[in-house]
Amino acid sequence: MSALIESSAQQRPLDLLLVNGLRVRLVYRPDTALSAALVEVRGGSHDEPGEFPGMAHFLEHLVFLGSRDFPAHEGLIPFVQGVGGRVNASTRARSTRFFCEVPATHLEQALARLLDMLANPLLETDALWREREVLQAEYSARAQDLQTLCEAALAWALAPGHPLADFHAGNASSLKLESPAFIPVLRRFHQAHYQPGRMCLTLVAPLPLARQLELARRHGERLRAGIKLPEPALPPLLPLRASRLRLGVPGALGRLSLAFALERQGAGLEAAVSFLESLATDESTGGLSARLGFLGLSDGIQLHLPYAHGGQGLLLMDFDWVEGADSAQLEAEVLDWLAFLRASAPWPGLWEERLEILRHKSSALEPLEAALAPGLPEPADVRTLLEQLRAERMVHLETGASNRAPNLTSAGFPLQLERLGVRPGARSTASWRLPSANPYWRSRASAPVEASLVPLLPGVPSAPEQGALFLRWNPGENGLPHGLACGLQRALRPILGAAGLAGVEGRLQAEQGGLTLDLMGNATALRQVIVDLLPILQAPPRWALVQGPRLQRSAIRRQAGELPIRQLLQRLPELLESPRAEAPSVLDPEALARFWRQARWQGLGIGDVGLCAELPGMPGPRQTRIGECGRTWHRLPIEGEAALLLFYPLESVTAESEAAVRLLASLLEPAFHQRLRGELQLGYALACGYRQLGGHRGLLFAVQSPRVSVAGLFQHVQAFLVRQYDRLVQLDRVQLRERGQALDQKLLGQGTNFTAYARQCWFDRQACLPVDHLAQVRHALAGLQPGSLLEQQGRLLSGLSCCAIANAQACEANWHTGA
């Protein structure tokens, strides 16, 4: 077996079945320093006992709170956070996923914790009561989330009796811990579903397959086999209870969703939806996205598959609906386009190119994304999907502002829902066309060039064909014209969309008072993208430019529907900058020309991305404008639960200070989650860690709570920092060295991962740091002393350099007095 594994290590993944029934999938990725582990449990919300709605979601939370071999403070979450990795879980209809990504050197430790917590959770009574408060906070937040409410409305529209419309999120009322039956039922549910015969373990790592198999057997075969459960029958999705609905939400931005009830689908449904989304969002002339934009019906399309099991599915096509647009016409265009796709199958030429592109993208995914990816589509699965995307299986859901009281409940969420009239007889007159050959995909083999207008740094040996280009334009005294970034984004969508398919990810946005353009991917294709992009950037079509202010207003309204903590995080970068002149409100070609005349740019190229094209604006000084980092307080008029964000920027960025702050963040992050979320149950949404925002880098603390005021949150964070100072005093050199080595592995991974390396180079340039700054940070980390951590922790306690943002002003007086 070992010889067979080694001979196939660089070819396809290895799938096998352990003696206890655990399915294992092993993927060898030699081009990364990271590794990922995913366990999918065949048991989810639709399998839970009806007397305790939300039990499956509750159990997903509970298994993280300590297990037989690892108490809570040594469990998966604090371990992964301590080594700078990623960890999460999700409960779906018939399955629950648990996944993490860590440096490859720590894969075995993460895997041991992951499998032990799934097989042997403590399920202690005190922990259950505390975690129920977290679920209640999550339920309260989701009850204000537009996507959640839309999915609940669509579940109600399906055939009565389907479990999608049942309550599965869970809250304090449904999770009846007071009942003597609750804990025995919980343990039986866990024993029945969390067993190796109902689990699939996926590992993606740079370790040889033989080594991965050794790890999977060592830890996976310890799981005790259970009894085989019968597969439940699936209630039908059809006939629909309603096909046209309007959901009223206070202050909601208008949105249109077209949902399709799917049955008898193949195992490749998720991959088929991904292929369909690549066609729906393609901006080529003759495609759906270009047609809807030209008619002024929609600003964007997203596809979701919130439910998929046993051949059933619910596919959502969500449209950024232009206010006042004809929704009946949009619906007619979509249905006509889907009919065109059915008639044009098997899409000669297009299918082969897209499959080649998807295969290449799949090979370049990060380990965690590779573990979660649905795989490549098959033509039969796409055709099966398209056959059911018809009007008789469709629910038309519009959202709009309403202050009326809810009139029904679906999936446990109160909704203000009304039926709309009979479907209007709108028709499409479009001349649909399949996308032509991607102009950048075939240009990837062109010869390199040496000319350049921006400083160039070498790439990384593990990604010899990859390149990156970062450009930033700082406006003159008149500031950034209102809506300019949104208007330019609209004009560049065809180019950036085609570039994305060819492996060049591009982003243009207003950022920290200026305009930034990031391009990363295949260097040869990137050079062609920038040549095509720059003329449009300087002289976009007038129809796209004039839409800028409207698109910006829509973006602001869309942002207002997000969680308060997310809104604060989105506003943080601009609040760190010095105030700028008020932007001109008129956006026209003259305003754009004036902006380019006054703008000064700075840029950086990584890899073989030499440019021959002329950049708009004038080269600027290397130093970007950075605001003062004193104690500041900002109150933003954001509705909803109390939210607080504290950002402590480094006063002077040196390798030593950054090493200390990065290491301090790795120590504080798991403790912050454990204290504020686990012990105090302040709320579901919180964040803590090291952050880089242009020229600013420092420590971030953010928390949102449904039951504590901003003043209370501020006091809890301050108390947490005091407690941690006392713990840092007791930190011995062995513990410090172990944490430092884990952080060093993460930084080493940044140096070998092209995307992370390129972004770090750009961050360092914006902060006027030397090219080898990251190497200096790693060197400083090796010699870091406990006193350096205590010094940085003392800065946090003093609060003399901090930017605070909240959606209330309750603690502003205490803030200014230093109380």
Side-chain angles (χ1 to χ4, degrees), residues 312-354:
Q312 288 188 342
L314 184 67
L315 172 64
L316 274 61
M317 299 182 73
D318 291 335
F319 299 88
D320 295 332
W321 189 21
V322 175
E323 190 173 1
D326 185 347
S327 64
Q329 187 61 46
L330 188 152
E331 177 186 314
E333 299 291 343
V334 172
L335 290 172
D336 197 61
W337 177 73
L338 291 170
F340 161 75
L341 289 183
R342 284 193 294 270
S344 59
W347 320 288
L350 173 67
W351 175 264
E352 291 79 8
E353 181 184 78
R354 290 296 167 92

mmCIF file of all heavy atoms in Angstrom, residues 312-354:
data_model
loop_
_atom_site.group_PDB
_atom_site.id
_atom_site.type_symbol
_atom_site.label_atom_id
_atom_site.label_comp_id
_atom_site.label_asym_id
_atom_site.label_seq_id
_atom_site.Cartn_x
_atom_site.Cartn_y
_atom_site.Cartn_z
ATOM 1 N N GLN A 312 -32.573 16.533 -3.850
ATOM 2 C CA GLN A 312 -33.352 17.763 -3.725
ATOM 3 C C GLN A 312 -32.422 18.970 -3.597
ATOM 4 O O GLN A 312 -31.257 18.842 -3.214
ATOM 5 C CB GLN A 312 -34.265 17.715 -2.507
ATOM 6 C CG GLN A 312 -35.443 16.786 -2.627
ATOM 7 C CD GLN A 312 -36.403 16.950 -1.459
ATOM 8 O OE1 GLN A 312 -36.073 17.501 -0.414
ATOM 9 N NE2 GLN A 312 -37.625 16.450 -1.638
ATOM 10 N N GLY A 313 -32.948 20.145 -3.896
ATOM 11 C CA GLY A 313 -32.181 21.362 -3.725
ATOM 12 C C GLY A 313 -33.068 22.578 -3.849
ATOM 13 O O GLY A 313 -34.187 22.520 -4.388
ATOM 14 N N LEU A 314 -32.602 23.676 -3.318
ATOM 15 C CA LEU A 314 -33.257 24.972 -3.487
ATOM 16 C C LEU A 314 -32.192 25.931 -4.000
ATOM 17 O O LEU A 314 -31.248 26.266 -3.282
ATOM 18 C CB LEU A 314 -33.843 25.483 -2.170
ATOM 19 C CG LEU A 314 -34.630 26.795 -2.273
ATOM 20 C CD1 LEU A 314 -35.907 26.599 -3.090
ATOM 21 C CD2 LEU A 314 -34.972 27.345 -0.888
ATOM 22 N N LEU A 315 -32.325 26.328 -5.255
ATOM 23 C CA LEU A 315 -31.357 27.225 -5.888
ATOM 24 C C LEU A 315 -31.895 28.639 -5.873
ATOM 25 O O LEU A 315 -33.017 28.896 -6.323
ATOM 26 C CB LEU A 315 -31.086 26.785 -7.324
ATOM 27 C CG LEU A 315 -30.232 27.755 -8.165
ATOM 28 C CD1 LEU A 315 -28.841 27.884 -7.579
ATOM 29 C CD2 LEU A 315 -30.170 27.292 -9.611
ATOM 30 N N LEU A 316 -31.091 29.571 -5.347
ATOM 31 C CA LEU A 316 -31.465 30.979 -5.303
ATOM 32 C C LEU A 316 -30.623 31.763 -6.289
ATOM 33 O O LEU A 316 -29.391 31.650 -6.295
ATOM 34 C CB LEU A 316 -31.246 31.566 -3.902
ATOM 35 C CG LEU A 316 -32.357 31.426 -2.870
ATOM 36 C CD1 LEU A 316 -32.663 29.968 -2.592
ATOM 37 C CD2 LEU A 316 -31.973 32.167 -1.594
ATOM 38 N N MET A 317 -31.298 32.552 -7.120
ATOM 39 C CA MET A 317 -30.633 33.552 -7.944
ATOM 40 C C MET A 317 -31.009 34.905 -7.367
ATOM 41 O O MET A 317 -32.162 35.344 -7.483
ATOM 42 C CB MET A 317 -31.068 33.433 -9.401
ATOM 43 C CG MET A 317 -30.736 32.093 -10.040
ATOM 44 S SD MET A 317 -31.202 32.002 -11.806
ATOM 45 C CE MET A 317 -29.943 33.058 -12.543
ATOM 46 N N ASP A 318 -30.069 35.545 -6.688
ATOM 47 C CA ASP A 318 -30.314 36.834 -6.043
ATOM 48 C C ASP A 318 -29.799 37.953 -6.942
ATOM 49 O O ASP A 318 -28.660 37.905 -7.420
ATOM 50 C CB ASP A 318 -29.607 36.913 -4.689
ATOM 51 C CG ASP A 318 -30.222 35.975 -3.670
ATOM 52 O OD1 ASP A 318 -31.409 35.645 -3.818
ATOM 53 O OD2 ASP A 318 -29.514 35.568 -2.733
ATOM 54 N N PHE A 319 -30.630 38.971 -7.143
ATOM 55 C CA PHE A 319 -30.296 40.090 -8.023
ATOM 56 C C PHE A 319 -30.260 41.385 -7.225
ATOM 57 O O PHE A 319 -31.144 41.652 -6.408
ATOM 58 C CB PHE A 319 -31.342 40.202 -9.146
ATOM 59 C CG PHE A 319 -31.429 38.988 -10.020
ATOM 60 C CD1 PHE A 319 -32.274 37.938 -9.683
ATOM 61 C CD2 PHE A 319 -30.658 38.881 -11.166
ATOM 62 C CE1 PHE A 319 -32.352 36.810 -10.469
ATOM 63 C CE2 PHE A 319 -30.723 37.752 -11.958
ATOM 64 C CZ PHE A 319 -31.572 36.716 -11.610
ATOM 65 N N ASP A 320 -29.197 42.170 -7.453
ATOM 66 C CA ASP A 320 -29.147 43.529 -6.899
ATOM 67 C C ASP A 320 -30.080 44.379 -7.755
ATOM 68 O O ASP A 320 -29.674 44.984 -8.753
ATOM 69 C CB ASP A 320 -27.711 44.071 -6.927
ATOM 70 C CG ASP A 320 -26.789 43.275 -6.025
ATOM 71 O OD1 ASP A 320 -27.272 42.707 -5.038
ATOM 72 O OD2 ASP A 320 -25.586 43.211 -6.319
ATOM 73 N N TRP A 321 -31.305 44.397 -7.379
ATOM 74 C CA TRP A 321 -32.398 44.971 -8.149
ATOM 75 C C TRP A 321 -32.302 46.491 -8.151
ATOM 76 O O TRP A 321 -32.207 47.122 -7.110
ATOM 77 C CB TRP A 321 -33.704 44.493 -7.515
ATOM 78 C CG TRP A 321 -34.954 44.793 -8.246
ATOM 79 C CD1 TRP A 321 -35.111 45.088 -9.560
ATOM 80 C CD2 TRP A 321 -36.264 44.806 -7.676
ATOM 81 N NE1 TRP A 321 -36.430 45.272 -9.858
ATOM 82 C CE2 TRP A 321 -37.160 45.102 -8.714
ATOM 83 C CE3 TRP A 321 -36.760 44.589 -6.400
ATOM 84 C CZ2 TRP A 321 -38.530 45.214 -8.500
ATOM 85 C CZ3 TRP A 321 -38.107 44.682 -6.183
ATOM 86 C CH2 TRP A 321 -38.985 44.981 -7.232
ATOM 87 N N VAL A 322 -32.304 47.073 -9.337
ATOM 88 C CA VAL A 322 -32.278 48.527 -9.454
ATOM 89 C C VAL A 322 -33.628 49.074 -9.000
ATOM 90 O O VAL A 322 -34.682 48.614 -9.447
ATOM 91 C CB VAL A 322 -31.987 48.966 -10.904
ATOM 92 C CG1 VAL A 322 -32.079 50.477 -11.033
ATOM 93 C CG2 VAL A 322 -30.612 48.464 -11.332
ATOM 94 N N GLU A 323 -33.584 50.049 -8.090
ATOM 95 C CA GLU A 323 -34.822 50.600 -7.531
ATOM 96 C C GLU A 323 -35.732 51.136 -8.638
ATOM 97 O O GLU A 323 -35.302 51.894 -9.505
ATOM 98 C CB GLU A 323 -34.474 51.723 -6.549
ATOM 99 C CG GLU A 323 -35.654 52.206 -5.737
ATOM 100 C CD GLU A 323 -35.231 53.193 -4.662
ATOM 101 O OE1 GLU A 323 -34.032 53.510 -4.580
ATOM 102 O OE2 GLU A 323 -36.102 53.649 -3.914
ATOM 103 N N GLY A 324 -36.987 50.698 -8.612
ATOM 104 C CA GLY A 324 -37.964 51.142 -9.604
ATOM 105 C C GLY A 324 -37.965 50.335 -10.883
ATOM 106 O O GLY A 324 -38.785 50.588 -11.778
ATOM 107 N N ALA A 325 -37.064 49.341 -11.007
ATOM 108 C CA ALA A 325 -37.003 48.539 -12.231
ATOM 109 C C ALA A 325 -38.179 47.577 -12.300
ATOM 110 O O ALA A 325 -38.811 47.245 -11.289
ATOM 111 C CB ALA A 325 -35.683 47.766 -12.289
ATOM 112 N N ASP A 326 -38.479 47.115 -13.508
ATOM 113 C CA ASP A 326 -39.592 46.210 -13.758
ATOM 114 C C ASP A 326 -39.168 44.781 -13.400
ATOM 115 O O ASP A 326 -38.439 44.128 -14.152
ATOM 116 C CB ASP A 326 -39.994 46.307 -15.238
ATOM 117 C CG ASP A 326 -41.234 45.493 -15.564
ATOM 118 O OD1 ASP A 326 -41.645 44.669 -14.725
ATOM 119 O OD2 ASP A 326 -41.775 45.670 -16.675
ATOM 120 N N SER A 327 -39.648 44.270 -12.272
ATOM 121 C CA SER A 327 -39.248 42.935 -11.827
ATOM 122 C C SER A 327 -39.799 41.857 -12.755
ATOM 123 O O SER A 327 -39.166 40.807 -12.931
ATOM 124 C CB SER A 327 -39.721 42.692 -10.396
ATOM 125 O OG SER A 327 -41.141 42.698 -10.320
ATOM 126 N N ALA A 328 -40.972 42.095 -13.362
ATOM 127 C CA ALA A 328 -41.533 41.115 -14.288
ATOM 128 C C ALA A 328 -40.650 40.968 -15.523
ATOM 129 O O ALA A 328 -40.453 39.860 -16.047
ATOM 130 C CB ALA A 328 -42.946 41.518 -14.683
ATOM 131 N N GLN A 329 -40.086 42.082 -15.991
ATOM 132 C CA GLN A 329 -39.207 42.015 -17.154
ATOM 133 C C GLN A 329 -37.912 41.291 -16.811
ATOM 134 O O GLN A 329 -37.397 40.498 -17.605
ATOM 135 C CB GLN A 329 -38.904 43.425 -17.669
ATOM 136 C CG GLN A 329 -38.134 43.463 -18.983
ATOM 137 C CD GLN A 329 -38.898 42.800 -20.119
ATOM 138 O OE1 GLN A 329 -40.093 43.058 -20.281
ATOM 139 N NE2 GLN A 329 -38.240 41.948 -20.884
ATOM 140 N N LEU A 330 -37.383 41.548 -15.610
ATOM 141 C CA LEU A 330 -36.168 40.850 -15.186
ATOM 142 C C LEU A 330 -36.421 39.344 -15.148
ATOM 143 O O LEU A 330 -35.608 38.549 -15.630
ATOM 144 C CB LEU A 330 -35.728 41.362 -13.812
ATOM 145 C CG LEU A 330 -34.368 40.871 -13.293
ATOM 146 C CD1 LEU A 330 -33.754 41.902 -12.350
ATOM 147 C CD2 LEU A 330 -34.475 39.538 -12.559
ATOM 148 N N GLU A 331 -37.549 38.960 -14.584
ATOM 149 C CA GLU A 331 -37.900 37.537 -14.521
ATOM 150 C C GLU A 331 -37.987 36.932 -15.919
ATOM 151 O O GLU A 331 -37.483 35.825 -16.170
ATOM 152 C CB GLU A 331 -39.221 37.372 -13.781
ATOM 153 C CG GLU A 331 -39.730 35.961 -13.719
ATOM 154 C CD GLU A 331 -41.111 35.897 -13.087
ATOM 155 O OE1 GLU A 331 -41.322 36.538 -12.036
ATOM 156 O OE2 GLU A 331 -41.978 35.192 -13.650
ATOM 157 N N ALA A 332 -38.615 37.640 -16.836
ATOM 158 C CA ALA A 332 -38.759 37.137 -18.207
ATOM 159 C C ALA A 332 -37.397 36.970 -18.874
ATOM 160 O O ALA A 332 -37.170 35.989 -19.598
ATOM 161 C CB ALA A 332 -39.637 38.096 -19.018
ATOM 162 N N GLU A 333 -36.477 37.906 -18.647
ATOM 163 C CA GLU A 333 -35.141 37.805 -19.240
ATOM 164 C C GLU A 333 -34.413 36.570 -18.699
ATOM 165 O O GLU A 333 -33.754 35.846 -19.457
ATOM 166 C CB GLU A 333 -34.330 39.068 -18.938
ATOM 167 C CG GLU A 333 -34.915 40.367 -19.474
ATOM 168 C CD GLU A 333 -34.875 40.468 -20.988
ATOM 169 O OE1 GLU A 333 -34.125 39.708 -21.624
ATOM 170 O OE2 GLU A 333 -35.603 41.319 -21.531
ATOM 171 N N VAL A 334 -34.530 36.329 -17.402
ATOM 172 C CA VAL A 334 -33.835 35.190 -16.796
ATOM 173 C C VAL A 334 -34.376 33.875 -17.351
ATOM 174 O O VAL A 334 -33.606 32.981 -17.735
ATOM 175 C CB VAL A 334 -33.979 35.232 -15.259
ATOM 176 C CG1 VAL A 334 -33.428 33.950 -14.629
ATOM 177 C CG2 VAL A 334 -33.254 36.448 -14.686
ATOM 178 N N LEU A 335 -35.691 33.731 -17.396
ATOM 179 C CA LEU A 335 -36.276 32.491 -17.891
ATOM 180 C C LEU A 335 -35.935 32.261 -19.363
ATOM 181 O O LEU A 335 -35.684 31.120 -19.789
ATOM 182 C CB LEU A 335 -37.788 32.511 -17.694
ATOM 183 C CG LEU A 335 -38.259 32.420 -16.234
ATOM 184 C CD1 LEU A 335 -39.771 32.638 -16.139
ATOM 185 C CD2 LEU A 335 -37.884 31.081 -15.625
ATOM 186 N N ASP A 336 -35.895 33.326 -20.143
ATOM 187 C CA ASP A 336 -35.548 33.190 -21.557
ATOM 188 C C ASP A 336 -34.081 32.789 -21.719
ATOM 189 O O ASP A 336 -33.739 31.972 -22.583
ATOM 190 C CB ASP A 336 -35.829 34.508 -22.283
ATOM 191 C CG ASP A 336 -35.889 34.337 -23.788
ATOM 192 O OD1 ASP A 336 -36.763 33.577 -24.252
ATOM 193 O OD2 ASP A 336 -35.056 34.941 -24.490
ATOM 194 N N TRP A 337 -33.222 33.348 -20.894
ATOM 195 C CA TRP A 337 -31.793 32.994 -20.944
ATOM 196 C C TRP A 337 -31.580 31.521 -20.557
ATOM 197 O O TRP A 337 -30.799 30.811 -21.182
ATOM 198 C CB TRP A 337 -31.004 33.913 -20.011
ATOM 199 C CG TRP A 337 -29.547 33.605 -19.931
ATOM 200 C CD1 TRP A 337 -28.591 33.832 -20.869
ATOM 201 C CD2 TRP A 337 -28.860 32.994 -18.818
ATOM 202 N NE1 TRP A 337 -27.362 33.423 -20.420
ATOM 203 C CE2 TRP A 337 -27.496 32.907 -19.168
ATOM 204 C CE3 TRP A 337 -29.273 32.546 -17.562
ATOM 205 C CZ2 TRP A 337 -26.540 32.369 -18.306
ATOM 206 C CZ3 TRP A 337 -28.324 31.999 -16.710
ATOM 207 C CH2 TRP A 337 -26.976 31.911 -17.075
ATOM 208 N N LEU A 338 -32.304 31.047 -19.525
ATOM 209 C CA LEU A 338 -32.185 29.648 -19.129
ATOM 210 C C LEU A 338 -32.668 28.723 -20.243
ATOM 211 O O LEU A 338 -32.070 27.661 -20.488
ATOM 212 C CB LEU A 338 -32.988 29.405 -17.843
ATOM 213 C CG LEU A 338 -32.435 30.070 -16.577
ATOM 214 C CD1 LEU A 338 -33.435 29.963 -15.437
ATOM 215 C CD2 LEU A 338 -31.094 29.461 -16.177
ATOM 216 N N ALA A 339 -33.739 29.128 -20.931
ATOM 217 C CA ALA A 339 -34.216 28.329 -22.069
ATOM 218 C C ALA A 339 -33.169 28.278 -23.175
ATOM 219 O O ALA A 339 -32.971 27.242 -23.825
ATOM 220 C CB ALA A 339 -35.534 28.909 -22.597
ATOM 221 N N PHE A 340 -32.476 29.397 -23.391
ATOM 222 C CA PHE A 340 -31.400 29.444 -24.389
ATOM 223 C C PHE A 340 -30.280 28.474 -24.018
ATOM 224 O O PHE A 340 -29.756 27.752 -24.876
ATOM 225 C CB PHE A 340 -30.872 30.871 -24.502
ATOM 226 C CG PHE A 340 -29.514 30.981 -25.134
ATOM 227 C CD1 PHE A 340 -29.351 30.820 -26.502
ATOM 228 C CD2 PHE A 340 -28.389 31.223 -24.348
ATOM 229 C CE1 PHE A 340 -28.092 30.909 -27.080
ATOM 230 C CE2 PHE A 340 -27.137 31.313 -24.917
ATOM 231 C CZ PHE A 340 -26.984 31.150 -26.286
ATOM 232 N N LEU A 341 -29.906 28.422 -22.739
ATOM 233 C CA LEU A 341 -28.851 27.506 -22.320
ATOM 234 C C LEU A 341 -29.262 26.051 -22.528
ATOM 235 O O LEU A 341 -28.448 25.220 -22.945
ATOM 236 C CB LEU A 341 -28.506 27.734 -20.843
ATOM 237 C CG LEU A 341 -27.759 29.022 -20.478
ATOM 238 C CD1 LEU A 341 -27.439 29.038 -18.993
ATOM 239 C CD2 LEU A 341 -26.479 29.165 -21.285
ATOM 240 N N ARG A 342 -30.519 25.739 -22.223
ATOM 241 C CA ARG A 342 -30.982 24.367 -22.448
ATOM 242 C C ARG A 342 -30.894 23.991 -23.927
ATOM 243 O O ARG A 342 -30.455 22.892 -24.274
ATOM 244 C CB ARG A 342 -32.431 24.213 -21.966
ATOM 245 C CG ARG A 342 -32.587 24.123 -20.467
ATOM 246 C CD ARG A 342 -33.981 23.664 -20.079
ATOM 247 N NE ARG A 342 -34.994 24.640 -20.442
ATOM 248 C CZ ARG A 342 -35.405 25.633 -19.666
ATOM 249 N NH1 ARG A 342 -34.862 25.786 -18.460
ATOM 250 N NH2 ARG A 342 -36.345 26.471 -20.067
ATOM 251 N N ALA A 343 -31.279 24.924 -24.781
ATOM 252 C CA ALA A 343 -31.292 24.635 -26.221
ATOM 253 C C ALA A 343 -29.898 24.566 -26.817
ATOM 254 O O ALA A 343 -29.692 23.896 -27.838
ATOM 255 C CB ALA A 343 -32.123 25.700 -26.942
ATOM 256 N N SER A 344 -28.932 25.255 -26.203
ATOM 257 C CA SER A 344 -27.591 25.326 -26.793
ATOM 258 C C SER A 344 -26.647 24.257 -26.264
ATOM 259 O O SER A 344 -25.492 24.175 -26.686
ATOM 260 C CB SER A 344 -26.976 26.703 -26.550
ATOM 261 O OG SER A 344 -26.887 26.968 -25.159
ATOM 262 N N ALA A 345 -27.111 23.405 -25.298
ATOM 263 C CA ALA A 345 -26.252 22.325 -24.794
ATOM 264 C C ALA A 345 -25.853 21.421 -25.962
ATOM 265 O O ALA A 345 -26.647 21.230 -26.888
ATOM 266 C CB ALA A 345 -26.996 21.530 -23.723
ATOM 267 N N PRO A 346 -24.621 20.885 -25.963
ATOM 268 C CA PRO A 346 -23.637 20.817 -24.872
ATOM 269 C C PRO A 346 -22.599 21.935 -24.883
ATOM 270 O O PRO A 346 -21.464 21.712 -24.452
ATOM 271 C CB PRO A 346 -22.991 19.450 -25.098
ATOM 272 C CG PRO A 346 -22.979 19.305 -26.590
ATOM 273 C CD PRO A 346 -24.237 19.975 -27.076
ATOM 274 N N TRP A 347 -22.908 23.090 -25.422
ATOM 275 C CA TRP A 347 -22.043 24.274 -25.360
ATOM 276 C C TRP A 347 -20.641 23.992 -25.904
ATOM 277 O O TRP A 347 -19.635 24.089 -25.182
ATOM 278 C CB TRP A 347 -21.945 24.773 -23.912
ATOM 279 C CG TRP A 347 -23.258 24.705 -23.203
ATOM 280 C CD1 TRP A 347 -24.333 25.507 -23.402
ATOM 281 C CD2 TRP A 347 -23.645 23.761 -22.191
ATOM 282 N NE1 TRP A 347 -25.373 25.124 -22.587
ATOM 283 C CE2 TRP A 347 -24.982 24.055 -21.836
ATOM 284 C CE3 TRP A 347 -23.004 22.694 -21.562
ATOM 285 C CZ2 TRP A 347 -25.675 23.332 -20.875
ATOM 286 C CZ3 TRP A 347 -23.701 21.973 -20.610
ATOM 287 C CH2 TRP A 347 -24.999 22.290 -20.277
ATOM 288 N N PRO A 348 -20.528 23.629 -27.168
ATOM 289 C CA PRO A 348 -19.224 23.253 -27.750
ATOM 290 C C PRO A 348 -18.208 24.386 -27.629
ATOM 291 O O PRO A 348 -18.528 25.549 -27.859
ATOM 292 C CB PRO A 348 -19.568 22.946 -29.213
ATOM 293 C CG PRO A 348 -20.876 23.625 -29.455
ATOM 294 C CD PRO A 348 -21.620 23.617 -28.161
ATOM 295 N N GLY A 349 -16.997 24.026 -27.294
ATOM 296 C CA GLY A 349 -15.928 25.008 -27.131
ATOM 297 C C GLY A 349 -15.963 25.652 -25.763
ATOM 298 O O GLY A 349 -14.963 25.687 -25.043
ATOM 299 N N LEU A 350 -17.126 26.187 -25.376
ATOM 300 C CA LEU A 350 -17.258 26.848 -24.072
ATOM 301 C C LEU A 350 -17.042 25.846 -22.946
ATOM 302 O O LEU A 350 -16.321 26.133 -21.982
ATOM 303 C CB LEU A 350 -18.640 27.492 -23.952
ATOM 304 C CG LEU A 350 -18.977 28.081 -22.574
ATOM 305 C CD1 LEU A 350 -18.093 29.273 -22.273
ATOM 306 C CD2 LEU A 350 -20.448 28.468 -22.504
ATOM 307 N N TRP A 351 -17.681 24.680 -23.042
ATOM 308 C CA TRP A 351 -17.568 23.699 -21.959
ATOM 309 C C TRP A 351 -16.115 23.301 -21.737
ATOM 310 O O TRP A 351 -15.637 23.274 -20.604
ATOM 311 C CB TRP A 351 -18.412 22.467 -22.285
ATOM 312 C CG TRP A 351 -18.227 21.378 -21.270
ATOM 313 C CD1 TRP A 351 -17.381 20.319 -21.350
ATOM 314 C CD2 TRP A 351 -18.857 21.294 -19.992
ATOM 315 N NE1 TRP A 351 -17.460 19.551 -20.222
ATOM 316 C CE2 TRP A 351 -18.356 20.126 -19.359
ATOM 317 C CE3 TRP A 351 -19.790 22.072 -19.322
ATOM 318 C CZ2 TRP A 351 -18.766 19.731 -18.100
ATOM 319 C CZ3 TRP A 351 -20.203 21.663 -18.058
ATOM 320 C CH2 TRP A 351 -19.695 20.519 -17.459
ATOM 321 N N GLU A 352 -15.394 23.017 -22.801
ATOM 322 C CA GLU A 352 -14.015 22.571 -22.665
ATOM 323 C C GLU A 352 -13.142 23.659 -22.023
ATOM 324 O O GLU A 352 -12.312 23.369 -21.154
ATOM 325 C CB GLU A 352 -13.443 22.173 -24.036
ATOM 326 C CG GLU A 352 -14.048 20.909 -24.627
ATOM 327 C CD GLU A 352 -15.415 21.136 -25.260
ATOM 328 O OE1 GLU A 352 -15.833 22.325 -25.385
ATOM 329 O OE2 GLU A 352 -16.076 20.150 -25.636
ATOM 330 N N GLU A 353 -13.349 24.904 -22.455
ATOM 331 C CA GLU A 353 -12.533 25.977 -21.892
ATOM 332 C C GLU A 353 -12.854 26.200 -20.413
ATOM 333 O O GLU A 353 -11.949 26.333 -19.584
ATOM 334 C CB GLU A 353 -12.770 27.281 -22.670
ATOM 335 C CG GLU A 353 -11.914 28.431 -22.126
ATOM 336 C CD GLU A 353 -12.195 29.755 -22.820
ATOM 337 O OE1 GLU A 353 -13.227 30.390 -22.480
ATOM 338 O OE2 GLU A 353 -11.396 30.140 -23.680
ATOM 339 N N ARG A 354 -14.149 26.249 -20.070
ATOM 340 C CA ARG A 354 -14.516 26.489 -18.672
ATOM 341 C C ARG A 354 -14.049 25.352 -17.774
ATOM 342 O O ARG A 354 -13.630 25.580 -16.632
ATOM 343 C CB ARG A 354 -16.028 26.681 -18.549
ATOM 344 C CG ARG A 354 -16.537 27.988 -19.142
ATOM 345 C CD ARG A 354 -15.966 29.179 -18.384
ATOM 346 N NE ARG A 354 -16.155 30.437 -19.067
ATOM 347 C CZ ARG A 354 -17.198 31.254 -18.886
ATOM 348 N NH1 ARG A 354 -18.145 30.928 -18.037
ATOM 349 N NH2 ARG A 354 -17.265 32.389 -19.536
#
